[in-house]
Amino acid sequence: EGVVVAPCDGEIVVMPRTGHAVALRSPEGVEVLIHVGLDTVELGGQGFTVHARPGDKVKRGDRLLTFDREFIRGQGKQLVTPVVITNMADKVERLVKYPDRADGVILEVTVK
């Protein structure tokens, strides 16, 4: 739908001016990076609108950024959107992936 929402409560730690990605840290210290599309940094922010800034406290479901899917595709960019836990070895005891859950949950993390 062209909207990236916070996957958990936390604090925004990185939001590039280009708006193509966002990283946040949960209260338990789990760091999550969401990167919209492939090579989308090359768009220089065109097609993206930022709704949060580094240091902002967010709640699960808060809108972090929006993007124009058709514009991005029209620029020859793919909309594959990796969601990466960047400190998994330090903080995550167990990870369960849910590729097809109807409620939009994509993974569950058990913190060490």
Side-chain angles (χ1 to χ4, degrees), residues 78-99:
Q78 294 183 28
L79 285 173
V80 173
T81 301
V83 177
V84 180
I85 298 174
T86 58
N87 63 346
M88 193 156 155
D90 297 333
K91 292 290 182 178
V92 176
E93 179 177 313
R94 182 172 176 258
L95 175 77
V96 179
K97 297 177 187 176
Y98 301 105

Side-chain angles (χ1 to χ4, degrees), residues 35-43 72 76-82:
H35 191 288
V36 178
L38 302 178
D39 298 325
T40 50
V41 68
E42 296 172 359
L43 298 175
I72 293 168
K77 306 300 181 193
Q78 294 183 28
L79 285 173
V80 173
T81 301

Side-chain angles (χ1 to χ4, degrees), residues 95-109:
L95 175 77
V96 179
K97 297 177 187 176
Y98 301 105
D100 297 317
R101 262 180 68 167
D103 62 1
V105 173
I106 62 170
L107 57 90
E108 181 179 312
V109 174

